[in-house]
Amino acid sequence: MPLSVFFAAWLIAVGIGWWIHTMQGSGDSSGEPMFTGAAQAPLWALVFVAAYSASHTFPFSMALSYSRRTFMLGVILAFGLVSVAFGAAFILAAWIERVTDGFGMHFYTFNLPYLTQGSGGIVAAGALAATLCLVLMMVGFFWAILYLRAGLFTLWVIILGLAVVGLAGTMLIFQNDGWPVIWEWIMQQSALSLTGWLAILAVGLAGLNYGVIRRATPA
């Protein structure tokens, strides 16, 4: 499914780009480049897959008498392999867009300048995509395993609590004019540095998931 979403989102984005290019009614290929966010579409499909793996394969692994530690190691390995595959696909797609000049229309889904023109180029962008994929899959897995651990009521209490904290934090940032500082920090990062930050987050999420799954009960 995620692979189908990857190509479907890319195809739809290119189709929209071709339509816009045609509507402009110009054969000039030197126009302003256009960028799309369709590259994130398969990530959300992978979040669903990660949550599904927690809710369905965890009870099965317990029925086979695997330890929670073994299951968690398998999850990390599987998520890691999927993330590497996504990163490789991102690199290949960005390279295709670069060599074809955005399919002759300057229309880009993966070859995004902010990610691919810094140190490391397309490879660094692929590493960032892979690490982001791993983080999001860990997040999807966390919510599903938390449901098995704490139940539906507690899950919603935690979600609402985090929403309130997030809203309060956003209001404080607005009140103290903090968004320009945050945006400036983001713009100063490269694909490699963002990969490093996300890698740290992924390690933390792996530890958190293991802590939750130790007391989770199969449904």
Side-chain angles (χ1 to χ4, degrees):
M1 181 184 69
L3 188 61
S4 300
V5 173
F6 182 94
F7 286 109
W10 195 14
L11 181 62
I12 292 172
V14 172
I16 293 174
W18 175 82
W19 176 73
I20 294 174
H21 187 74
T22 303
M23 290 295 292
Q24 289 175 346
S26 173
D28 183 15
S29 61
S30 61
E32 290 293 325
M34 295 177 288
F35 304 98
T36 172
Q40 50 82 35
L43 292 175
W44 304 116
L46 289 170
V47 170
F48 171 80
V49 170
Y52 185 90
S53 70
S55 61
H56 288 71
T57 63
F58 174 62
F60 183 68
S61 69
M62 294 297 98
L64 293 177
S65 299
Y66 286 109
S67 68
R68 286 168 169 77
R69 180 180 179 183
T70 300
F71 174 74
M72 195 64 221
L73 289 174
V75 165
I76 294 173
L77 178 60
F79 287 2
L81 291 174
V82 170
S83 299
V84 169
F86 177 74
F90 190 100
I91 291 172
L92 178 60
W95 177 79
I96 291 174
E97 290 182 343
R98 175 172 291 185
V99 298
T100 60
D101 199 15
F103 299 101
M105 302 177 293
H106 302 288
F107 195 84
Y108 303 97
T109 300
F110 298 93
N111 186 30
L112 307 176
Y114 173 66
L115 301 178
T116 61
Q117 292 184 1
S119 58
I122 290 178
V123 175
L128 174 60
T131 313
L132 178 60
C133 178
L134 179 60
V135 167
L136 290 177
M137 292 187 76
M138 286 291 184
V139 170
F141 182 87
F142 168 76
W143 289 112
I145 210 68
L146 181 62
Y147 166 73
L148 295 177
R149 167 67 177 84
L152 183 61
F153 177 77
T154 304
L155 176 66
W156 276 110
V157 169
I158 293 174
I159 291 175
L160 292 175
L162 290 176
V164 170
V165 171
L167 179 60
T170 302
M171 292 174 63
L172 286 174
I173 293 174
F174 270 115
Q175 184 177 356
N176 294 280
D177 296 324
W179 286 116
V181 177
I182 295 175
W183 182 250
E184 181 181 1
W185 180 85
I186 293 175
M187 295 304 296
Q188 289 175 349
Q189 303 302 307
S190 66
L192 288 176
S193 63
L194 289 174
T195 299
W197 288 113
L198 287 176
I200 295 173
L201 180 58
V203 172
L205 286 170
L208 177 62
N209 281 328
Y210 179 65
V212 173
I213 206 173
R214 289 182 64 185
R215 294 185 177 277
T217 303

